[in-house]
Amino acid sequence: MGIVAGLDSSPEFTRIVVCDADTGAVLRQGYAPHPVEGRPSDVDPQAWLLSLGEAAGGGLLEGVQAIGVSAQQNAVVPLDAQGNTVRPALVGGDKRTQVAAADLIDALGGREAWAQAVGCVPQAPQPVTKLRWLVKNEPDAALRTAVLLQAHDWLVWQLLGRPVRRTTDRGGASGTGYWSAATGAYRTDLVELALGHQAMLPEVIGPADAAGTTPEGLLISAGTGETMAAAFGLGIGLGDAVVSLGASGSVMAVHPEALVDNSGMITSLADATGMHLPVVTTLNAVRTLRGAAELLGLPDLESLSELAMKSTPGAHGLVLLPYLEGERTPHLPHTAGTLAGLRRESMRPEHLARAAFEGMLCGLADALDVLRGRGVEVRRVFLLGAAAELSAVQAAAPAIFGAQVVVPQPADYAAIGAARQAAWALGVSQGTLDPRTPPAWQGAAAQILEPGEELAVGQAVRQQFVSVREQTHPNAFRP
């Protein structure tokens, strides 16, 4: 079919990959940081266009027939009736909107009401919450807001020359807090609840649909959020889960239907293929390791990993409940971490190091079990993030998760997923691909880890963790 491009506009940079449309082989790459300092909560979206132009320099896109756009989630771009930005885009995990999230939860009648309405409970980063913050803090800007776009919607619209028609995809829409993955429809009443009035919303188009074609004949696919694009770039399918090890952690899996979870632990997102992507988040992942390294006076996580490997599974009975920042899974927002099992023989640095790794992984296994408990099949776990390379993580994860663990080689999976979407839309437009079946690209190069004979040991470690959790926080996971 030729060549296609995928661009990923993350919170800090734009990355572009140019791929063979048939195989997915990466042919060329471009990169440019956004021209902003740090990670501010308000960003002029023109900064995204400037870094896009720089990343695409030097003829990078020569011969490209279609482009897909992935972009940071949770950014909301408020436009006036003429299509001009009312104020800078509200981006990121903005802590100033936490009060607005609580207001919205109460306004609709609680967490269960939100879970039933749109498959998620408002969190500080979500667009719906940012709209409520805008009303309370910048009422004039809220009144002038006539159109709501997310980052990838806005970029696609700009690439197409700002046409009258504005589009988005299921994946991006499912993260707004005012579109339901279960019904496939907007809840405009929730926009009004948050913003105080109605606003125009982009048309949700199908995974293989094109948003349009530029005057030069370049096809632009639907675009999607970074999470959905990365899942598509990795090539995950039914039976696969992805565990992301950031400061906080997330667990997501492909599922054929939307999950409504009245507890609010599951966020019911849509993916970039027509399936669903239920996500469970933990507040404490790598921050648990960093805290342990600082406590032990170690310079980095590699040193902590080496120390942990000198201990044995179970850390001589030492158990760390890693709820250092409170926790979302289970819902314990005001709790603290717990170190249990202290005996004279367990009070050694290597055992504490091991307990930190096991506590982090058991917390993520709890999140995996939330999905398993709702019928989500998990045969393989893709482990993402720099910490996935640590020997202590790789030694313990397969047995604690009770599944094969796949550690993909570092790559620009969100950009690759955007390119794969472009290839799909191009193939459908040319009549060479089925709109129900994405192009079969080569999977990510990866290291495969099996639980093997360690499975029973890992499950014993897990049971030790669960026993301490139940003693400390009885019924934290209510049915």
Side-chain angles (χ1 to χ4, degrees), residues 316-339:
H316 275 246
L318 213 54
V319 176
L320 176 65
L321 300 184
Y323 306 150
L324 309 183
E325 299 281 328
E327 190 47 84
R328 277 184 63 181
T329 308
H331 185 62
L332 298 166
H334 307 300
T335 194
T338 301
L339 186 62

Side-chain angles (χ1 to χ4, degrees), residues 264-313:
M265 282 190 291
I266 298 174
T267 298
S268 192
L269 300 179
D271 79 348
T273 72
M275 301 284 275
H276 294 269
L277 207 61
V279 178
V280 180
T281 303
T282 69
L283 292 181
N284 301 280
V286 175
R287 65 164 43 97
T288 305
L289 305 183
R290 295 203 184 284
E294 288 170 15
L295 183 64
L296 292 167
L298 298 172
D300 50 41
L301 298 188
E302 288 75 14
S303 303
L304 184 72
S305 176
E306 289 172 14
L307 183 62
M309 293 299 285
K310 294 177 181 175
S311 181
T312 53

Side-chain angles (χ1 to χ4, degrees), residues 10-397:
S10 84
E12 295 173 342
F13 55 78
T14 299
R15 218 179 270 283
I16 301 176
V17 296
V18 176
C19 300
D20 181 285
D22 293 313
T23 66
V26 176
L27 308 174
R28 304 191 289 269
Q29 301 184 61
Y31 167 87
H34 296 321
V36 292
E37 292 292 324
R39 292 182 68 164
S41 299
D42 299 300
V43 175
D44 182 346
Q46 292 294 329
W48 307 333
L49 279 185
L50 289 170
S51 69
L52 192 167
E54 187 180 340
L60 183 78
L61 299 179
E62 192 173 325
V64 166
Q65 295 169 276
I67 292 181
V69 178
S70 156
Q72 59 180 302
Q73 285 156 241
N74 297 321
V76 61
V77 186
L79 304 179
D80 63 20
Q82 287 71 46
N84 301 312
T85 49
V86 167
R87 69 175 314 283
L90 294 118
V91 302
D94 198 340
K95 288 192 173 179
R96 62 188 169 170
T97 60
Q98 286 174 340
V99 172
D103 284 350
L104 281 176
I105 292 169
D106 290 343
L108 194 65
R111 296 168 63 84
E112 185 173 336
W114 278 97
Q116 290 287 342
V118 286
C120 63
V121 177
Q123 301 288 335
Q126 282 184 297
V128 70
T129 304
K130 288 169 176 160
L131 299 182
R132 171 56 69 102
W133 180 89
L134 200 60
V135 168
K136 298 287 187 184
N137 294 275
E138 299 177 11
D140 290 344
L143 275 174
R144 289 191 295 122
T145 298
V147 181
L148 296 173
L149 297 179
Q150 293 182 86
H152 78 83
D153 309 337
W154 188 86
L155 285 165
V156 165
W157 185 57
Q158 295 291 328
L159 290 172
L160 290 172
R162 297 164 58 105
V164 173
R165 181 191 189 218
R166 301 179 182 92
T167 63
T168 190
D169 87 307
R170 298 167 64 255
S174 66
T176 59
Y178 44 80
W179 186 88
S180 167
T183 64
Y186 282 116
R187 286 288 301 263
T188 55
D189 58 317
L190 299 182
V191 175
E192 189 164 352
L193 180 70
L195 187 61
H197 61 87
Q198 291 294 344
M200 287 185 65
L201 302 170
E203 175 189 346
V204 181
I205 62 176
D209 291 344
T213 305
T214 68
E216 299 77 29
L218 189 64
L219 183 140
I220 310 293
S221 64
T224 196
E226 247 179 348
T227 297
M228 300 79 188
F232 198 35
L234 281 166
I236 67 168
L238 290 173
D240 293 333
V242 176
V243 173
S244 293
L245 299 177
S248 55
S250 70
V251 176
M252 64 181 179
V254 178
H255 198 57
E257 59 190 31
L259 296 178
V260 175
D261 173 50
N262 290 337
S263 74
M265 282 190 291
I266 298 174
T267 298
S268 192
L269 300 179
D271 79 348
T273 72
M275 301 284 275
H276 294 269
L277 207 61
V279 178
V280 180
T281 303
T282 69
L283 292 181
N284 301 280
V286 175
R287 65 164 43 97
T288 305
L289 305 183
R290 295 203 184 284
E294 288 170 15
L295 183 64
L296 292 167
L298 298 172
D300 50 41
L301 298 188
E302 288 75 14
S303 303
L304 184 72
S305 176
E306 289 172 14
L307 183 62
M309 293 299 285
K310 294 177 181 175
S311 181
T312 53
H316 275 246
L318 213 54
V319 176
L320 176 65
L321 300 184
Y323 306 150
L324 309 183
E325 299 281 328
E327 190 47 84
R328 277 184 63 181
T329 308
H331 185 62
L332 298 166
H334 307 300
T335 194
T338 301
L339 186 62
L342 281 170
R343 291 189 173 86
R344 179 64 192 89
E345 63 270 19
S346 66
M347 296 177 72
R348 296 184 59 82
E350 62 267 28
H351 302 323
L352 178 57
R354 181 87 188 195
F357 280 97
E358 291 178 347
M360 175 189 77
L361 292 170
C362 284
L364 290 162
D366 277 350
L368 265 176
D369 279 355
V370 170
L371 295 178
R372 283 175 166 137
R374 293 297 307 278
V376 177
E377 185 181 10
V378 179
R379 292 192 306 270
R380 292 192 302 176
V381 174
F382 285 72
L383 203 53
L384 303 184
E389 303 288 336
L390 297 173
S391 55
V393 169
Q394 295 191 3

